[in-house]
PDB file of all heavy atoms in Angstrom:
ATOM      1  N   ARG A  90     -16.602 -21.880  -6.088  1.00 95.00           N
ATOM      2  CA  ARG A  90     -17.644 -22.805  -6.275  1.00 95.00           C
ATOM      3  C   ARG A  90     -18.342 -22.649  -7.587  1.00 95.00           C
ATOM      4  O   ARG A  90     -18.274 -21.513  -8.253  1.00 95.00           O
ATOM      5  CB  ARG A  90     -18.740 -22.546  -5.197  1.00 95.00           C
ATOM      6  CG  ARG A  90     -18.284 -22.897  -3.794  1.00 95.00           C
ATOM      7  CD  ARG A  90     -19.536 -23.040  -2.845  1.00 95.00           C
ATOM      8  NE  ARG A  90     -20.532 -21.996  -3.056  1.00 95.00           N
ATOM      9  CZ  ARG A  90     -20.707 -20.909  -2.267  1.00 95.00           C
ATOM     10  NH1 ARG A  90     -19.976 -20.732  -1.283  1.00 95.00           N
ATOM     11  NH2 ARG A  90     -21.673 -20.094  -2.599  1.00 95.00           N
ATOM     12  N   VAL A 133      -9.927 -30.183   2.125  1.00 90.00           N
ATOM     13  CA  VAL A 133     -11.344 -30.072   2.484  1.00 90.00           C
ATOM     14  C   VAL A 133     -11.601 -30.892   3.738  1.00 90.00           C
ATOM     15  O   VAL A 133     -12.330 -30.434   4.660  1.00 90.00           O
ATOM     16  CB  VAL A 133     -12.215 -30.543   1.312  1.00 90.00           C
ATOM     17  CG1 VAL A 133     -13.712 -30.610   1.641  1.00 90.00           C
ATOM     18  CG2 VAL A 133     -12.058 -29.632   0.104  1.00 90.00           C
ATOM     19  N   TYR A 137     -13.131 -29.030   6.936  1.00 92.00           N
ATOM     20  CA  TYR A 137     -14.532 -29.205   7.147  1.00 92.00           C
ATOM     21  C   TYR A 137     -14.892 -30.618   7.665  1.00 92.00           C
ATOM     22  O   TYR A 137     -16.051 -30.827   7.898  1.00 92.00           O
ATOM     23  CB  TYR A 137     -15.343 -29.042   5.799  1.00 92.00           C
ATOM     24  CG  TYR A 137     -15.114 -27.634   5.221  1.00 92.00           C
ATOM     25  CD1 TYR A 137     -14.386 -27.406   4.105  1.00 92.00           C
ATOM     26  CD2 TYR A 137     -15.757 -26.545   5.809  1.00 92.00           C
ATOM     27  CE1 TYR A 137     -14.249 -26.184   3.541  1.00 92.00           C
ATOM     28  CE2 TYR A 137     -15.641 -25.290   5.315  1.00 92.00           C
ATOM     29  CZ  TYR A 137     -14.842 -25.126   4.150  1.00 92.00           C
ATOM     30  OH  TYR A 137     -14.666 -23.817   3.627  1.00 92.00           O
ATOM     31  N   GLY A 138     -13.898 -31.476   7.836  1.00 93.00           N
ATOM     32  CA  GLY A 138     -14.218 -32.840   8.353  1.00 93.00           C
ATOM     33  C   GLY A 138     -15.155 -33.566   7.401  1.00 93.00           C
ATOM     34  O   GLY A 138     -14.889 -33.523   6.075  1.00 93.00           O
ATOM     35  N   GLU A 139     -16.123 -34.160   7.866  1.00 90.00           N
ATOM     36  CA  GLU A 139     -16.984 -34.976   6.968  1.00 90.00           C
ATOM     37  C   GLU A 139     -18.229 -34.175   6.526  1.00 90.00           C
ATOM     38  O   GLU A 139     -19.078 -34.674   5.832  1.00 90.00           O
ATOM     39  CB  GLU A 139     -17.536 -36.245   7.746  1.00 90.00           C
ATOM     40  CG  GLU A 139     -16.412 -37.276   8.024  1.00 90.00           C
ATOM     41  CD  GLU A 139     -15.539 -37.606   6.821  1.00 90.00           C
ATOM     42  OE1 GLU A 139     -16.124 -37.919   5.774  1.00 90.00           O
ATOM     43  OE2 GLU A 139     -14.335 -37.553   6.929  1.00 90.00           O
ATOM     44  N   ALA A 140     -18.265 -32.879   6.887  1.00 90.00           N
ATOM     45  CA  ALA A 140     -19.413 -32.068   6.564  1.00 90.00           C
ATOM     46  C   ALA A 140     -19.508 -31.965   5.053  1.00 90.00           C
ATOM     47  O   ALA A 140     -18.426 -31.776   4.360  1.00 90.00           O
ATOM     48  CB  ALA A 140     -19.313 -30.669   7.139  1.00 90.00           C
ATOM     49  N   PRO A 141     -20.684 -32.066   4.408  1.00 87.00           N
ATOM     50  CA  PRO A 141     -20.788 -31.976   2.980  1.00 87.00           C
ATOM     51  C   PRO A 141     -20.637 -30.544   2.507  1.00 87.00           C
ATOM     52  O   PRO A 141     -21.556 -29.707   2.603  1.00 87.00           O
ATOM     53  CB  PRO A 141     -22.218 -32.485   2.629  1.00 87.00           C
ATOM     54  CG  PRO A 141     -22.981 -32.373   3.945  1.00 87.00           C
ATOM     55  CD  PRO A 141     -21.953 -32.269   5.030  1.00 87.00           C
ATOM     56  N   VAL A 142     -19.513 -30.188   1.971  1.00 89.00           N
ATOM     57  CA  VAL A 142     -19.156 -28.789   1.560  1.00 89.00           C
ATOM     58  C   VAL A 142     -18.793 -28.790   0.024  1.00 89.00           C
ATOM     59  O   VAL A 142     -17.908 -29.538  -0.295  1.00 89.00           O
ATOM     60  CB  VAL A 142     -18.087 -28.226   2.416  1.00 89.00           C
ATOM     61  CG1 VAL A 142     -17.658 -26.879   1.930  1.00 89.00           C
ATOM     62  CG2 VAL A 142     -18.593 -28.021   3.831  1.00 89.00           C
ATOM     63  N   GLU A 143     -19.380 -27.918  -0.749  1.00 90.00           N
ATOM     64  CA  GLU A 143     -18.922 -27.853  -2.139  1.00 90.00           C
ATOM     65  C   GLU A 143     -17.843 -26.717  -2.176  1.00 90.00           C
ATOM     66  O   GLU A 143     -18.032 -25.586  -1.820  1.00 90.00           O
ATOM     67  CB  GLU A 143     -20.095 -27.497  -2.973  1.00 90.00           C
ATOM     68  CG  GLU A 143     -19.733 -27.690  -4.536  1.00 90.00           C
ATOM     69  CD  GLU A 143     -20.306 -26.722  -5.431  1.00 90.00           C
ATOM     70  OE1 GLU A 143     -21.560 -26.282  -5.170  1.00 90.00           O
ATOM     71  OE2 GLU A 143     -19.714 -26.322  -6.388  1.00 90.00           O
ATOM     72  N   THR A 144     -16.724 -27.136  -2.617  1.00 90.00           N
ATOM     73  CA  THR A 144     -15.572 -26.126  -2.829  1.00 90.00           C
ATOM     74  C   THR A 144     -14.599 -26.652  -3.721  1.00 90.00           C
ATOM     75  O   THR A 144     -14.253 -27.884  -3.829  1.00 90.00           O
ATOM     76  CB  THR A 144     -14.941 -25.815  -1.407  1.00 90.00           C
ATOM     77  OG1 THR A 144     -13.759 -25.053  -1.680  1.00 90.00           O
ATOM     78  CG2 THR A 144     -14.546 -27.085  -0.633  1.00 90.00           C
ATOM     79  N   ALA A 145     -14.156 -25.708  -4.660  1.00 91.00           N
ATOM     80  CA  ALA A 145     -13.170 -26.143  -5.722  1.00 91.00           C
ATOM     81  C   ALA A 145     -11.898 -25.350  -5.606  1.00 91.00           C
ATOM     82  O   ALA A 145     -11.694 -24.536  -4.669  1.00 91.00           O
ATOM     83  CB  ALA A 145     -13.831 -25.998  -7.066  1.00 91.00           C
TER      84      ALA A 145
END
Side-chain angles (χ1 to χ4, degrees):
R90 295 196 316 258
V133 176
Y137 299 107
E139 295 309 313
V142 172
E143 194 213 325
T144 170

